[in-house]
Amino acid sequence: MYQYNIATTFCAIADRFTDRPALKMVDGRTVTYGELDAASNCAAHLLSERGVSRRSVVAIANKKTVDDYAAILGSLKLGAAYVNLDDANPAERL
């Protein structure tokens, strides 16, 4: 049985709409689905090398950069969950 989740849905969209915009950054830069998919594959590889796997939890201080969104997708591609950290919180809370 095939399971649909955010990661598989994103990959299907990225395969179909490779050159279409996926993200519009604050600085005006546009990132395509193909670029974001490639970046998230790299992030998944790096996370996997650091021991992240299915059912792991990854903490991400999302500053809304391409790398942060890639890390989120990379985590999901590995079957891990992610926790969005707000760096405005005190260190002991993070």
Side-chain angles (χ1 to χ4, degrees), residues 30-88:
T30 299
V31 180
T32 67
Y33 279 101
E35 292 169 330
L36 185 56
D37 190 37
S40 66
N41 288 339
C42 288
H45 181 73
L46 290 171
L47 290 167
S48 178
E49 285 179 345
R50 287 164 176 77
V52 174
S53 62
R54 188 169 182 76
R55 296 198 170 117
S56 294
V57 178
V58 178
I60 299 172
N62 188 355
K63 297 182 188 251
K64 299 185 180 182
T65 66
V66 176
D67 290 339
D68 294 333
Y69 291 116
I72 290 169
L73 286 167
S75 300
L76 297 174
K77 285 180 176 186
L78 292 173
Y82 74 93
V83 176
N84 218 8
L85 299 180
D86 183 355
D87 62 352

